[in-house]
Structures are given as C-alpha cells and as structure tokens.
Amino acid sequence: MSDAVLVSDLPTPALVVDRPGFLRNVERMTAIRPGPQLRPHVKAFKSTELAQQLADAGHHAFCCATVAEVLGMARAGLDQDLLLANETVDHHRLRAMADLDAPVTVAVDSDTTVDAAADAGISAVLIDVNVGLPRCGCAPDDAGRLADRARRAGLEVRGVMGYEGHVNLIDDRSERRAAVETSMEKLLAAHAEVGGDVVSGGGTMTAELNEWVTELQAGTYVLMDTTFDGHVPFEIAIGVVATVISVDPSGYAVADAGLKSLGMDHGDPTLPDGSVWFCSDEHVTFSGVDVSVGDRVRLLPAHLDPTVAKHDHLWVADGDEVVDQWAVDLRGW
Ligand SMILES: Cc1ncc(COP(=O)(O)O)c(C=O)c1O
C-alpha cells in the first residue's frame, strides 16, 4: 500500500502548487532574464523555500516589499544582495536590516527617507523614481539632488529603481511596450543624474518588453494568476483546493474557500469549466460543474500575492501527489 499523500487528502482550503508548471515558469523566465538580469520579487510568494529554488536557477539577488521579508531571507541565508524595494522611515526596522551581516539596499525617494536610512546605519540605497505609477518614487528631475544628499550622508548610491506597474492594465502589447519605453525614458534620465550600476524595474507583465533595465523585478511569474494569464509566457501553477460542502438541487453548489483564503481585489477566482457566483468569508458559490458533497474543486486566484499571504503553507503537487510543502514564512511586516 502506498503512503503517498494526495491533494485529495489535504485539509481545505489548501494552497496547492503545480510543480511541473512552476518549474516551467522558472525555466521560461530564466531564459528571458538569466542570472543577475532577474531580481525575483519575494512578495509574490513569501516563501524562502521557493526563493531557494530561484537561487538554484541562478538568481541570487532578491527584491522585498517588507522588512520582514528582508529579515526572513537573511535568516534563510538568501542574503547575497537583498533590496527593500519600498520606502520606510521606521528606525527600528531600518536598524534591524543595518545590523544584518549581509548587504541590504533600500529604496529612498525623499529627504526624510534618505536621512532615516543614513541615521539607522543602512549602507546602500537606490533612488526610487516615479515613472508613472502613482505610488512611491521621486520626480525624475529630483533624483540627482537626492543622490547627492545620500552620498553626503555616507550612503552608497547604487543606482535607480522605477516600477512601471501602471502599464499592466494595457491589453495591447505594442501599446504596453510604448508605455514601458516612456516610463523607462524617465528612469534613464534620472539614472544619468544619479549614476551607479543599477537600473532596476519592471515586473512579470513587462518581462519581455522592458529592454532598458539592468535587472527585472518580477514575482508573479513563478505561480501566476488569472489577471496576468494569457498576457505573458507563463502558466497558472497555483490553485486553492476546496471541498464541496453543500449542493443545492436547483443547480448550484458551495465549497469551503472564500475571501479569507483568496485575494479578491482583482475579482472572483475562476473555476475551470464552471461559473463562480460569489465568494463570502468561508464559502464560494458556483454552478456549471457536476459535483457531490465531499468532492474537491480547484479555484484559480485572480491575484496571487494576497492569496499566498492568507496561507501557512504552499503544498507542492505533481499530479495528485503531494511531493513537498513550503512554509509561507515571509508574512507580516
Ligand atoms: C516595486 C515592485 N517591483 C516589481 C513588481 C512586479 O511584480 P510582479 O512581477 O509580481 O508583477 C511590483 C509589484 O507590485 C512592485 O511593487
């Protein structure tokens, strides 16, 4: 008798990685952006065990969105070149990063964030430039002044970063490429004033389009979601497995995964061959697939990052067999 654990044995809701799809995604991205041309963004998957697989594929520099991610990556020894691609003025958290026995670079976009980094003993920064997404980043023509201030404060200025996330919503590929180019003109103009070796930017949706950055910051590509699916050469390798707990004779059924286990800001999950009616806290109501109470269904999330952040584990499966379990150990702030 086999003692293999099957996906159908897992307590639900369960976040399940399709290992062959994951490995294909890693291989495809590594072909597009080999080695140091990719700085994987750990916020998408929040797992040091998954990050280790990316390091094994040749990517040793990582992006983080939170200080908890930076500290967790350092604890796991994935600390060759960690970037907090985000601003913080939290002195204690900056100190915790500065105290690591590992090189940490932080993004800065104002006098206050430059001074906070210097005061806490951070050694290196990137000047974060607003390239069109209204979220962090200084004006491109202020980048040189900020870099001078940072250098005067004793910080190494390694270069610039600018995330063009606003182009993700552009469906047409040539229009999206033109929008990336416009954004990158701003970033390169800032870089000319700032100096340094690093021009960091981009993401999964611009992996094939952004030819201007020295390193691409991408995370979603590893497991994907339905929002990016069909626009980029990566496949959905993640699902939330749920158990059918009620079937209504009028033609709908209910399973035990809802908005407490699925990131819903980009919309409802997709049920292949079925139709999701709505999600509530712990329920998804759906129709179109013939199920009985106790059956399993696999929901495809619309937004990967917040979905992962709701789970303790990524169960790794090959077909129906569970072959590994990765802790989601980079949660929190
Ligand atoms: C700073 C930064 N870089 C890059 C990305 C791209 O990530 P992804 O590849 O998951 O779209 C993001 C996503 O929000 C981001 O915030």
Side-chain angles (χ1 to χ4, degrees):
M1 215 179 86
S2 157
D3 55 1
V5 176
L6 303 179
V7 172
S8 49
D9 298 328
L10 294 175
T12 57
L15 187 61
V16 178
V17 172
D18 168 44
R19 184 170 66 171
F22 160 72
L23 293 174
R24 282 190 292 270
N25 286 342
V26 172
E27 198 178 301
R28 284 178 195 133
M29 183 60 103
T30 301
I32 300 169
R33 303 272 166 171
Q37 292 179 40
L38 180 71
R39 184 186 280 278
H41 207 322
V42 306
K43 79 182 174 72
F45 48 83
K46 286 187 173 287
S47 164
T48 55
E49 285 163 283
L50 193 159
Q52 180 64 57
Q53 313 254 331
L54 304 182
D56 294 345
H59 313 294
H60 299 283
F62 288 94
C63 258
C64 300
T66 67
V67 175
E69 290 170 359
V70 172
L71 300 179
M73 289 290 284
R75 265 196 306 276
L78 292 159
D79 60 358
Q80 252 185 46
D81 182 354
L82 294 170
L83 167 64
L84 180 69
N86 202 359
E87 278 68 13
T88 179
V89 289
D90 184 322
H91 184 72
H92 295 289
R93 286 181 173 144
L94 283 163
R95 273 309 287 261
M97 291 190 295
D99 286 348
L100 288 172
D101 193 17
V104 174
T105 303
V106 305
V108 290
D109 71 353
S110 64
D111 290 357
T112 309
T113 48
V114 167
D115 295 351
D119 287 350
I122 291 290
S123 54
V125 294
L126 288 185
I127 306 297
D128 189 1
V129 179
N130 182 341
V131 295
L133 176 71
R135 209 182 58 177
C136 298
C138 66
D141 61 7
D142 197 30
R145 186 194 66 77
L146 274 180
D148 291 344
R149 185 185 182 98
R151 289 195 174 103
R152 276 199 309 274
L155 293 159
E156 180 197 353
V157 179
R158 296 183 63 196
V160 293
M161 69 162 258
Y163 172 52
E164 73 276 22
H166 58 296
V167 314
N168 290 355
L169 300 174
I170 304 173
D171 254 358
D172 181 82
R173 189 182 159 96
S174 57
E175 282 175 30
R176 201 183 329 137
R177 188 186 179 284
V180 175
E181 186 167 8
T182 303
S183 292
M184 291 303 111
E185 280 167 7
K186 294 178 187 167
L187 191 59
L188 293 183
H191 183 235
E193 300 301 317
V194 167
D197 295 335
V198 178
V199 179
S200 194
T204 299
M205 283 293 275
T206 60
E208 293 181 300
L209 305 176
N210 192 328
E211 60 193 67
W212 298 274
V213 290
T214 59
E215 55 174 46
L216 186 90
Q217 306 180 350
T220 301
Y221 78 95
V222 291
L223 300 171
M224 286 290 288
D225 57 31
T226 60
T227 303
F228 284 2
D229 189 35
H231 298 282
V232 283
F234 309 107
E235 61 190 282
I236 296 183
I238 189 86
V240 173
V241 173
T243 305
V244 177
I245 53 171
S246 182
V247 175
D248 191 276
S250 72
Y252 67 86
V254 181
D256 64 354
L259 52 90
K260 298 267 175 74
S261 58
L262 286 151
M264 301 272 299
D265 59 314
H266 290 175
D268 285 337
T270 297
L271 177 64
D273 304 320
S275 172
V276 169
W277 289 17
F278 63 93
C279 287
S280 38
D281 280 1
E282 303 291 0
H283 302 101
V284 54
T285 299
F286 63 93
S287 62
V289 282
D290 187 19
V291 288
S292 304
V293 172
D295 287 351
R296 298 291 173 107
V297 290
R298 184 166 177 264
L299 298 153
L300 310 180
H303 195 178
L304 175 68
D305 309 38
T307 300
V308 172
K310 291 170 189 286
H311 291 260
D312 293 329
H313 294 104
L314 289 153
W315 301 96
V316 185
D318 203 332
D320 196 37
E321 188 175 341
V322 177
V323 292
D324 210 345
Q325 185 187 346
W326 299 330
V328 181
D329 55 350
L330 296 175
R331 290 189 302 184
W333 295 269

